[in-house]
Amino acid sequence: MSKLWQKNSADTQSDIAKKVEAFTVGNDYELDQELVPYDVNASKVHAAALEKAGILTESELAKLKNGLSDILSLWEKGEFEITVQDEDMHTAIENHLVEKLGDLGKKIHTGRSRNDQVLTAMRLYEKDRLKDVISAAGQCTNELLKFAKAGETVPMPGFTHTRKAMLSSVALWAGGFAEMLKMQGDASSGVLSLVDRSPLGSAAGFGTTIDIDRDFEAEKLGFAKPLVCSTTSQLSRGWVELQYVQYLCGLTAVLNRLAADIIQYSGEISPYFTLDDAVCTGSSIMPQKKNPDLAELIRGRHSANIGHAATLQSLTMNLNSGYHRDLQLTKEPVLKAVRNTLESLAACTLLVKSVSINKEELQKACSAELFAAEEAYKLVKEDGMSFRDAYRKIKESSGGADIDPHQKLKESTHLGSTGNPGLERI
């Protein structure tokens, strides 16, 4: 099978050529298996644009579409092979069409380049996976809200600097994480606006003399609009992907902190929650151990996403305009970050389901120091004292009497307080 760029005289059999091929192709041919449906879809639309431009006849278009549908069927059965020799899915798809349709198969590449092909497939993939990510984030948010609702009347210490600070509640604790996920979900419109522009028809980044209707291609592929300047396509490659992965990092950052809290609050020192055995493991040497492995790995997966973002940032740094082979390496961090984020969200949903509330331990943990600020406020309200004087008086006192945390929950009524976490508004 020939490569799309290969000339007849190209030496592909020498030891040097094979080593160069292995290095330049890398694992691209394996990564592309996930993108085949998007490239096939884009090829069908491009073929329709070629027919519209008078390059293909109606009959040729029908044959090419059928050939592309056959490839998709093979892919769905796991029978569409992309080899190192192919380099990528684009070559494998075109070679398959040539094998089945002869010279007609060679016409599919008219007016396009592998540059706009891969970018179109990636942007279609990114749009699709963004929907999946937002859906998974919504499921995790809902699970947190259920947990919060179950703990709406359960007092809990609130911490600053890892020290007890003021009275909180299970609902306020879980509601904060739920709202963070919801906020990041709402922010998806920004990253969607970046990926929702079609690069197809920009070819190698300078357009072609073939009269391709790029608005037609964008509409048929479900994009909001085309990237206007052909040069924008290659300039945006990696730049958009970086912001896409940084957006995913925003989600896993929330999961990271949630997991860290669950690890702390389900341990022996502050046993506020209990984790189901299903999300924990034991030790090969210590019989008593019950380790929060799922939570720890959710926490750690965020580091992997940061690494993917850092890779993209480094790859696109100091590149002048136009295409560079470095940009081939922007594909893998995106695919891995998407997979990592979806898996982390699914794992976190399971983790939250596995947490039960230890009401007695939480009650004991709500000791007198949590109410110091409230005691100062009491002096302000009842004795007309300035807050600064009240603050000093409470600070100098030896400690207050026992206070019922449940009663204090009822006294906090403003939106977002311990007694009114506002879960229904999230």
Side-chain angles (χ1 to χ4, degrees), residues 5 24-25 28 87-88 90 113-119 202-206 230-238 315 319-331:
W5 50 266
T24 55
V25 173
D28 219 44
E87 294 188 304
D88 52 41
H90 321 298
S113 163
R114 287 189 301 173
N115 292 344
D116 65 335
Q117 273 188 270
V118 67
L119 198 51
S202 62
F206 311 100
S230 291
T231 49
T232 309
S233 294
Q234 299 313 314
L235 281 170
S236 73
R237 189 171 176 184
L315 280 169
L319 293 180
N320 52 0
S321 62
Y323 175 74
H324 307 272
R325 191 67 182 261
D326 314 49
L327 295 172
Q328 174 183 312
L329 302 178
T330 62
K331 185 188 301 178

Side-chain angles (χ1 to χ4, degrees), residues 89-107:
M89 62 182 165
H90 321 298
T91 306
I93 287 169
E94 184 169 327
N95 283 339
H96 185 91
L97 291 173
V98 171
E99 185 181 337
K100 298 297 181 183
L101 302 174
D103 286 345
L104 174 58
K106 300 174 184 177
K107 290 187 176 184

Side-chain angles (χ1 to χ4, degrees), residues 64-283:
L64 282 170
K65 281 188 171 182
N66 287 337
L68 289 164
S69 293
D70 290 341
I71 290 170
L72 189 57
S73 295
L74 288 171
W75 178 83
E76 288 170 346
K77 292 184 285 187
E79 297 174 4
F80 183 70
E81 186 180 11
I82 306 171
T83 67
V84 175
Q85 290 71 36
D86 288 322
E87 294 188 304
D88 52 41
M89 62 182 165
H90 321 298
T91 306
I93 287 169
E94 184 169 327
N95 283 339
H96 185 91
L97 291 173
V98 171
E99 185 181 337
K100 298 297 181 183
L101 302 174
D103 286 345
L104 174 58
K106 300 174 184 177
K107 290 187 176 184
I108 192 66
H109 202 61
T110 307
R112 70 177 182 180
S113 163
R114 287 189 301 173
N115 292 344
D116 65 335
Q117 273 188 270
V118 67
L119 198 51
T120 302
M122 281 299 296
R123 298 288 159 84
L124 288 170
Y125 166 87
E126 287 158 0
K127 277 188 65 179
D128 248 15
R129 293 290 83 82
L130 186 60
K131 293 175 190 173
D132 295 339
V133 165
I134 299 311
S135 174
Q139 291 172 34
C140 193
T141 302
N142 289 338
E143 204 57 49
L144 279 164
L145 288 172
K146 284 181 193 174
F147 183 82
K149 191 68 179 173
E152 201 159 16
T153 60
V154 181
M156 178 179 181
F159 291 82
T160 66
H161 306 277
T162 70
R163 276 36 171 193
K164 286 185 181 180
M166 294 181 72
L167 183 67
S168 183
S169 68
V170 170
L172 202 59
W173 173 81
F177 287 109
E179 188 170 13
M180 288 283 282
L181 286 178
K182 180 66 167 59
M183 287 165 65
Q184 188 70 353
D186 291 345
S188 64
S189 58
V191 75
L192 177 60
S193 71
L194 292 175
V195 300
D196 203 16
R197 300 167 189 248
S198 172
L200 194 57
S202 62
F206 311 100
T208 73
T209 55
I210 305 296
D211 190 17
I212 298 293
D213 188 338
R214 297 192 58 228
D215 285 303
F216 168 82
E217 288 187 324
E219 182 183 353
K220 290 296 181 183
L221 286 171
F223 286 109
K225 61 182 79 171
L227 287 167
V228 178
C229 293
S230 291
T231 49
T232 309
S233 294
Q234 299 313 314
L235 281 170
S236 73
R237 189 171 176 184
W239 177 79
V240 165
E241 280 63 37
L242 170 60
Q243 293 174 84
Y244 187 89
V245 172
Q246 286 174 330
Y247 173 80
L248 300 180
C249 285
L251 285 167
T252 54
V254 179
L255 306 187
N256 172 278
R257 295 185 74 175
L258 172 62
D261 267 11
I262 289 175
I263 292 165
Q264 180 181 342
Y265 298 154
S266 61
E268 296 87 352
I269 297 173
S270 46
Y272 306 154
F273 303 141
T274 298
L275 293 178
D276 191 276
D277 289 349
V279 296
C280 298
T281 66
S283 164

Side-chain angles (χ1 to χ4, degrees), residues 236-374:
S236 73
R237 189 171 176 184
W239 177 79
V240 165
E241 280 63 37
L242 170 60
Q243 293 174 84
Y244 187 89
V245 172
Q246 286 174 330
Y247 173 80
L248 300 180
C249 285
L251 285 167
T252 54
V254 179
L255 306 187
N256 172 278
R257 295 185 74 175
L258 172 62
D261 267 11
I262 289 175
I263 292 165
Q264 180 181 342
Y265 298 154
S266 61
E268 296 87 352
I269 297 173
S270 46
Y272 306 154
F273 303 141
T274 298
L275 293 178
D276 191 276
D277 289 349
V279 296
C280 298
T281 66
S283 164
S284 63
I285 188 172
M286 296 170 284
Q288 83 283 7
K289 290 303 293 294
K290 181 179 176 180
N291 303 319
D293 288 47
L294 189 69
E296 289 175 336
L297 287 170
I298 290 168
R299 183 178 61 183
R301 289 286 193 105
H302 176 55
S303 300
N305 266 11
I306 291 173
H308 298 318
T311 297
L312 288 163
Q313 193 157 34
S314 299
L315 280 169
T316 53
M317 187 168 57
N318 300 325
L319 293 180
N320 52 0
S321 62
Y323 175 74
H324 307 272
R325 191 67 182 261
D326 314 49
L327 295 172
Q328 174 183 312
L329 302 178
T330 62
K331 185 188 301 178
E332 185 169 16
V334 177
L335 299 180
K336 285 187 172 180
V338 166
R339 193 176 305 120
N340 187 41
T341 303
L342 286 170
E343 289 174 357
S344 295
L345 285 165
C348 201
T349 302
L350 291 175
L351 178 65
V352 175
K353 284 182 179 180
S354 79
V355 178
S356 56
I357 302 168
N358 295 335
K359 294 182 180 179
E360 289 184 11
E361 291 291 343
L362 284 163
Q363 172 84 18
K364 284 193 295 183
C366 292
S367 45
E369 68 265 40
L370 292 177
F371 307 100
E374 291 301 325

